[in-house]
Amino acid sequence: MAKRIDGIKEIMKDITDELVVCNIGVPTKELFQVKDRSRNFYMIGSMGLVESIGLGLALSQDETVVVIDGDGSLLMNMGSIITTSHNQCNNLIWIVINNGAYGSTGNQTTYMEDMDLVQIAKDSGFKNAYEFSQINFKEILESNKCTFIEYKLEAGNSDAPVIDLSPDEIRDRFMSEIQM
């Protein structure tokens, strides 16, 4: 099974001009290493809130917003799955990388590796919920439907370097890309 950085590479190969909001810590460093661009928002802190930020963006404008989240962060804010499913923003794609570990804090077990997040999303009201291995991500990007995706990967961090941008620089360059 692939690790998170491999999953991020797979996701980003189909990303063109979409806005991407990424979960805290190591995932942001891996996204930065894989495909840095001003349309990526690297959320440095606030574990559990990346989907809330993505939903706010999707509600405020028409551009497609792709959220890269983790199972540990989803556990920190399970309410986000209900809030997002009831808003059904057609320009929002929420990808939860489920590797069963809190990757940024030492790979402690989240106990989520055996959970069926797709079923939880459907039970919460998502009309479009898939496991990544069962979909064509390019088609999802073009579908114009609110979508929840569970992407099961192996736990483990890459040695991605620290992002060489300050939080203010990350915010400012991302904000310059948003059409409000």
Side-chain angles (χ1 to χ4, degrees):
M1 190 182 291
K3 292 197 176 179
R4 184 184 47 242
I5 192 164
D6 303 310
I8 290 172
K9 287 176 185 175
E10 187 68 22
I11 292 164
M12 294 307 290
K13 76 177 186 179
D14 291 320
I15 295 291
T16 55
D17 62 346
E18 296 82 10
L19 298 172
V20 176
V21 183
C22 189
N23 188 32
I24 66 166
V26 178
T28 61
K29 295 190 306 184
E30 290 174 345
L31 175 59
F32 185 80
Q33 180 179 9
V34 167
K35 189 173 187 178
D36 177 41
R37 56 196 198 109
S38 58
R39 295 180 71 79
N40 291 351
F41 182 73
Y42 306 106
M43 193 180 76
I44 303 299
S46 305
M47 185 173 178
L49 294 178
V50 70
E51 175 51 23
S52 299
I53 293 168
L55 177 60
L57 279 169
L59 288 168
S60 70
Q61 40 95 55
D62 295 329
E63 292 192 68
T64 299
V65 177
V66 176
V67 174
I68 301 174
D69 203 353
D71 57 309
S73 286
L74 173 58
L75 277 171
M76 295 291 291
N77 187 8
M78 285 295 285
S80 62
I81 202 164
I82 301 293
T83 303
T84 302
S85 70
H86 283 85
N87 280 280
Q88 292 293 313
C89 295
N90 288 333
N91 59 333
L92 180 65
I93 300 167
W94 182 8
I95 303 168
V96 176
I97 295 175
N98 184 358
N99 61 11
Y102 292 103
S104 293
T105 62
N107 286 315
Q108 301 89 350
T109 300
T110 64
Y111 306 107
M112 293 288 281
E113 65 272 7
D114 295 324
M115 296 298 297
D116 186 344
L117 295 181
V118 171
Q119 190 60 54
I120 291 170
K122 287 178 180 178
D123 289 346
S124 299
F126 271 90
K127 296 175 183 124
N128 302 292
Y130 309 97
E131 188 176 310
F132 194 92
S133 62
Q134 299 170 345
I135 62 162
N136 178 324
F137 187 58
K138 188 170 175 60
E139 287 178 16
I140 295 294
L141 284 170
E142 297 168 354
S143 73
N144 200 32
K145 293 179 181 175
C146 184
T147 304
F148 177 94
I149 299 168
E150 178 181 17
Y151 197 179
K152 288 193 175 185
L153 295 168
E154 183 179 321
N157 298 329
S158 73
D159 59 354
V162 172
I163 297 171
D164 63 356
L165 300 169
S166 72
D168 289 345
E169 290 171 310
I170 293 168
R171 178 201 61 213
D172 293 346
R173 76 178 199 159
F174 184 75
M175 293 298 290
S176 71
E177 294 289 331
I178 297 175
Q179 299 174 5
M180 304 286 284

